[in-house]
Amino acid sequence: MGIYGPLHIIVAVLALSPCFASAGDIVHQDDVAPKRPGCDNNFVLVKVPTWVDGVEDIEYVGVGARFGPTLESKEKHANKTRLVLADPPDLCRPHKNKLNREVILVHRGNCSFTTKSNIADGANASAILIINNRTELFKMVCEANETDVNIGIPAIMLPQDAGASLENFIKTSSTVSVQLYSPQRPLVDVAEVFLWLMAVGTILAASYWSAWSAREVAIEQDKLLKDGSDDFTHTENVASSGVVNINTTSAILFVVIASCFLVMLYKLMSLWFMDVLVVLFCIGGIEGLQTCLVALLSCFRCFQHAGESFVKVPFFGAVSYLTLAVSPFCIAFAVVWAVYRRVSFAWIGQDILGIALIITVLQIVHIPNLKVGTVLLSCAFLYDIFWVFVSKLWFKESVMIVVARGDKSGEDGIPMLLKIPRMFDPWGGYSIIGFGDIILPGLLVAFALRYDWLTNKNLRSGYFLWAMTAYGLGLLITYIALNMMDGHGQPALLYIVPFTLGTFLTLGKKRGELKALWRRGAPERPCPHVQFQPSQSQ
């Protein structure tokens, strides 16, 4: 069980670069419908708690219309009102009976939303709930030719499954009551701050570990050269030991392999397939956690002997005693998480396993120069945009968002995510970031620090500080865009790649080092008398 264990799922990890998921899926073919008097509300999510025969039942989520009065924001100020069925069901003709301020449940179709709402208002309803013909929510706007809209009751769209459930209760002679209110979300989600720190901290730790390992290999090369070894090819092999260097072809193939894997996830998304992903994630998490713990414990003198003593294990070869001691804990940790992954605090275990896996991948996988990094991140940039936005044209929904949320799987999202529950948010849910949004730019940031250390550059004259800052800013802009887009998922690499890659290329060009970065990515030291000197500033 060595550091090569996670390699069998690296393709899966890189393929899954989900965007940030939203709290609810709200769609409309015209998101920029013009506002005008009587039709100028902001689209808001609406909580619809229900009671059946006086017993509290399911709480549904709807979306308010562009027209009508706004709803109460606090639950204590919202009235509990009886729900009745419309007659006719589509309410495109006047309601047969006068209502006594009940909430009316209406089917979508056959006439405009404003027509239904005006008829419900005239029938003395207190609000109108319109059942969508799909399981998602829909933004209700005014008709293009409507100039004077004056609707006196709130209008809320419900998803198809919620409306059908309420309708069945009423048809079986049950008394159904509802409460309508729209609590406001905090301007800043504290969970996003912690998630930002988590992503930046993961890349920071992985970069320093990667650079430290590269420097140790360089020092070992210098020792071999100083001893008069003429086999310089052997010293180059030492540098590549335990490391997988990506080439240009692999970077291009990433898009094809990742896209095929993503489509497979989309098509096979089910409870059993999610269980397969959980098993793969646990295997990778065990390997990652074990590698990180062994490396960390080896820094202490009391564990150094155990880390340097090996025993031969069938199927695994030479394994250190420290690895054998740590492995049972890692396996138990992953198994406990898998069994209890649906409990409210399971995200902690998922994040620990995920961070360990990401750090290990960034330690194993390297980009050898800026050319490969540019090709890889450019392909990932196009990949993220295509599967978040363009895929809607073929699949009628965003493939990336559906996979990230784990729709139709019975699970709360795929495991290849870092996530934190939203804090102080009445709507709940999670703030998430995909592994690919950390690993892919992390490869470039780790390369920057390795280059700085091997060329004896300090933080000011090097590239790492700039690359790390650019990643943090790109991720911050992603969160800002997420909040500005009504919570719709955003392709994080759309913002992160231009910041990180653009900063690196611009800085290299300005310093006149772009050619060396582009081709070699490491200093040339062909002569035995040129010895590596660790930077004093590091």
Side-chain angles (χ1 to χ4, degrees):
M1 296 178 69
I3 62 174
Y4 296 101
L7 290 179
H8 67 287
I9 61 168
I10 285 177
V11 173
V13 170
L14 296 181
L16 291 169
S17 179
C19 58
F20 296 94
S22 59
D25 190 13
I26 309 173
V27 298
H28 191 275
Q29 68 272 19
D30 182 14
D31 273 350
V32 291
K35 292 184 178 182
R36 47 185 179 272
C39 194
D40 55 358
N41 293 342
N42 293 322
F43 294 113
V44 295
L45 291 174
V46 179
K47 289 199 172 188
V48 187
T50 62
W51 289 261
V52 178
D53 293 329
V55 179
E56 189 171 359
D57 200 59
I58 300 174
E59 179 179 272
Y60 300 104
V61 175
V63 61
R66 184 77 94 184
F67 49 83
T70 57
L71 291 164
E72 291 286 349
S73 61
K74 297 186 182 296
E75 181 180 8
K76 62 182 180 181
H77 295 154
N79 296 323
K80 187 166 69 173
T81 310
R82 185 182 176 188
L83 182 68
V84 298
L85 297 178
D87 190 8
D90 59 9
L91 206 64
C92 289
R93 299 188 306 275
H95 196 262
K96 291 187 177 180
N97 302 311
K98 199 71 172 177
L99 300 178
N100 187 25
R101 303 302 295 169
E102 292 97 342
V103 176
I104 191 168
L105 187 65
V106 179
H107 282 270
R108 178 184 174 183
N110 300 327
C111 59
S112 68
F113 298 122
T114 52
T115 298
K116 298 176 189 290
S117 300
N118 274 318
I119 294 175
D121 192 9
N124 199 36
S126 61
I128 178 172
L129 296 181
I130 300 178
I131 306 173
N132 195 14
N133 51 19
R134 299 180 65 179
T135 56
E136 58 201 6
L137 297 175
F138 189 88
K139 292 180 177 179
M140 298 185 291
V141 299
C142 301
E143 295 294 306
N145 57 356
E146 290 180 299
T147 56
D148 187 15
V149 180
N150 185 20
I151 297 173
I153 61 173
I156 297 95
M157 170 73 72
L158 285 179
Q160 186 180 46
D161 50 353
S165 178
L166 293 174
E167 189 176 31
N168 288 335
F169 279 127
I170 298 175
K171 286 182 177 179
T172 55
S173 301
S174 297
T175 301
V176 179
S177 299
V178 296
Q179 199 175 22
L180 308 175
Y181 64 102
S182 179
Q184 296 179 352
R185 275 195 162 132
L187 293 177
V188 178
D189 181 11
V190 180
E192 292 178 353
V193 177
F194 285 104
L195 198 63
W196 183 92
L197 292 172
M198 190 184 298
V200 171
T202 298
I203 291 182
L204 192 66
S207 298
Y208 271 93
W209 187 13
S210 177
W212 179 84
S213 299
R215 185 170 66 179
E216 291 296 304
V217 170
I219 293 174
E220 185 64 27
Q221 284 185 350
D222 283 336
K223 288 180 180 178
L224 292 173
L225 290 171
K226 189 176 181 180
D227 291 339
S229 173
D230 295 326
D231 189 5
F232 190 73
T233 303
H234 172 73
T235 65
E236 288 181 332
N237 291 335
V238 173
S240 62
S241 176
V243 171
V244 177
N245 281 316
I246 304 174
N247 56 34
T248 305
T249 303
S250 301
I252 296 174
L253 285 177
F254 158 75
V255 176
V256 178
I257 297 173
S259 297
C260 293
F261 191 79
L262 191 66
V263 172
M264 183 179 70
L265 286 178
Y266 175 74
K267 293 295 185 180
L268 297 179
M269 187 65 67
S270 60
L271 185 59
W272 71 265
F273 194 71
M274 288 295 290
D275 289 339
V276 173
L277 290 181
V278 168
V279 171
L280 291 176
F281 174 73
C282 286
I283 294 173
I286 291 169
E287 293 280 1
L289 188 60
Q290 169 193 281
T291 303
C292 292
L293 287 177
V294 169
L296 183 63
L297 293 174
S298 296
C299 297
F300 299 93
R301 287 187 177 182
C302 55
F303 294 105
Q304 284 180 354
H305 180 70
E308 295 171 355
S309 302
F310 293 86
V311 62
K312 192 172 182 179
V313 178
F315 304 108
F316 296 105
V319 179
S320 70
Y321 286 102
L322 184 57
T323 300
L324 289 177
V326 167
S327 295
F329 166 77
C330 298
I331 294 172
F333 188 90
V335 170
V336 170
W337 172 81
V339 172
Y340 295 100
R341 66 184 184 275
R342 294 183 179 88
V343 300
S344 59
F345 52 85
W347 62 272
I348 300 174
Q350 179 173 325
D351 287 351
I352 292 173
L353 292 171
I355 290 173
L357 176 56
I358 292 171
I359 291 176
T360 303
V361 170
L362 290 176
Q363 167 69 6
I364 296 172
V365 182
H366 288 180
I367 54 174
N369 51 50
L370 189 55
K371 176 184 177 181
V372 174
T374 300
V375 173
L376 177 64
L377 287 181
S378 298
C379 291
F381 174 79
L382 297 174
Y383 161 84
D384 228 16
I385 293 174
F386 179 86
W387 289 110
V388 173
F389 295 134
V390 185
S391 62
K392 294 180 182 179
L393 300 177
W394 283 274
F395 298 91
K396 308 303 180 184
E397 56 188 352
S398 173
V399 173
M400 186 76 78
I401 294 178
V402 170
V403 170
R405 288 193 316 227
D407 289 2
K408 303 176 184 179
S409 66
E411 296 278 356
D412 188 15
I414 60 174
M416 286 77 169
L417 300 166
L418 299 185
K419 64 180 186 178
I420 298 180
R422 293 191 179 101
M423 304 175 188
F424 312 111
D425 190 336
W427 293 99
Y430 292 89
S431 290
I432 65 173
I433 183 172
F435 283 5
D437 299 329
I438 302 175
I439 290 177
L440 294 173
L443 290 171
L444 186 66
V445 176
F447 163 74
L449 188 57
R450 287 196 305 272
Y451 183 85
D452 288 353
W453 280 22
L454 294 177
T455 52
N456 294 311
K457 291 180 179 291
N458 57 34
L459 285 177
R460 181 176 296 180
S461 63
Y463 293 90
F464 170 71
L465 181 62
W466 293 91
M468 194 73 248
T469 303
Y471 175 78
L473 288 175
L475 190 57
L476 179 62
I477 295 299
T478 304
Y479 283 120
I480 294 174
L482 178 68
N483 289 304
M484 292 179 63
M485 301 293 180
D486 287 335
H488 287 292
Q490 294 294 301
L493 295 181
L494 171 64
Y495 308 96
I496 294 174
V497 169
F499 270 85
T500 53
L501 188 58
T503 298
F504 215 133
L505 292 171
T506 302
L507 199 59
K509 180 69 174 177
K510 183 178 179 181
R511 293 174 175 177
E513 299 175 340
L514 184 58
K515 187 176 180 180
L517 288 165
W518 188 264
R519 293 182 178 179
R520 294 195 307 270
E524 287 185 309
R525 301 188 341 273
C527 303
H529 67 275
V530 180
Q531 185 173 356
F532 173 77
Q533 296 292 337
S535 174
Q536 298 300 320
S537 63
Q538 306 296 342

